[in-house]
Amino acid sequence: MARRKARRGPRARAETVSWTPPLGAVQREPRSRWRPGYWLRHPAFSAFLVGCGVLVVVNCGVGELVDREHLRVRGETTSAVVEKARKPRRGGVLIRVRITTPRGEVVRPRLIDTPEHLPAPGDRLAVIYDPEDLEYAYRPGYESSMSGPLWLIALGVVPGLLYGWYLRRTWSHWRDQAEDWRHRRPVPRLGERQHPGPRRRPRA
């Protein structure tokens, strides 16, 4: 009996050592951060887009301020003849005038600051133009009005500040959602309406 137990002992130990627990769920590698599913969910991407939009709008406003300053400094007032006046189907008003510069050059700029009533071809209008930019003409007084460019700058800055405040409160939520998608955890679909709180509860 002792021998039989001695023979079975090493074999039982060998069976115990060679046993392995069953494998659980396979852990796949995280997705790449360069995939659209990640960066479309990450708040840095939306911050980049909004920042670009703000810069474009503010740049347009600043550009208008610069153009008006140039017009105020070197603008020349003259009488122009309306050559074309019509309302395109897409909206707005298109008016082209003919101007003869002091050097005898005939130019046909587009009138930007259009009058309330559409003029007829052949009518005369008092306009101001920049000798160094003969593509556009304006009505007198256009260069002294700052409401347009200031409204344009405010239109870019105010929504940008509000969206920055929103992102500051919800940044961790959107960042964690992008990381959940990257690590293959369930997340809402892109475009699905959500109501994120200022802070997300930590995952268990």
Side-chain angles (χ1 to χ4, degrees):
M1 293 294 290
R3 290 181 182 178
R4 188 173 297 173
K5 289 180 180 180
R7 291 175 183 174
R8 292 173 61 185
R11 182 179 179 182
R13 287 195 298 271
E15 290 178 355
T16 302
V17 172
S18 62
W19 179 84
T20 55
L23 294 175
V26 178
Q27 297 292 330
R28 292 186 292 176
E29 290 293 325
R31 296 183 176 104
S32 171
R33 288 190 174 92
W34 294 105
R35 294 184 61 177
Y38 179 81
W39 47 262
L40 283 176
R41 287 179 170 88
H42 202 283
F45 179 68
S46 61
F48 171 75
L49 290 182
V50 172
C52 290
V54 169
L55 287 177
V56 169
V57 176
V58 171
N59 185 62
C60 290
V62 173
E64 277 203 24
L65 286 176
V66 173
D67 291 342
R68 290 177 193 236
E69 179 63 19
H70 289 167
L71 196 63
R72 187 184 66 82
V73 173
R74 61 191 184 211
E76 296 183 6
T77 304
T78 187
S79 177
V81 179
V82 177
E83 283 201 340
K84 182 187 298 184
R86 62 186 178 90
K87 293 183 178 181
R89 291 182 179 180
R90 60 179 179 272
V93 177
L94 176 62
I95 300 177
R96 287 202 176 273
V97 297
R98 184 177 71 251
I99 297 174
T100 302
T101 66
R103 293 174 294 182
E105 182 183 3
V106 177
V107 295
R108 293 172 173 82
R110 178 179 176 180
L111 187 63
I112 298 299
D113 186 24
T114 57
E116 296 180 1
H117 302 288
L118 188 68
D123 291 350
R124 284 191 171 272
L125 296 175
V127 298
I128 183 172
Y129 68 97
D130 184 354
E132 296 187 16
D133 184 10
L134 297 175
E135 187 175 354
Y136 303 106
Y138 312 85
R139 289 193 299 164
Y142 176 84
E143 72 282 3
S144 60
S145 174
M146 296 298 174
S147 58
L150 292 179
W151 271 111
L152 200 59
I153 293 174
L155 185 64
V157 171
V158 174
L161 292 176
L162 291 176
Y163 192 74
W165 174 82
Y166 169 78
L167 275 186
R168 182 176 178 273
R169 292 177 56 85
T170 60
W171 185 278
S172 60
H173 171 85
W174 302 119
R175 181 197 57 204
D176 290 347
Q177 194 171 107
E179 290 297 330
D180 285 345
W181 180 88
R182 181 170 176 259
H183 291 87
R184 303 177 187 273
R185 289 186 284 264
V187 293
R189 303 178 73 177
L190 283 173
E192 183 176 340
R193 188 170 182 178
Q194 302 180 53
H195 299 280
R199 292 183 180 273
R200 185 181 179 186
R201 290 182 301 177
R203 295 187 297 268

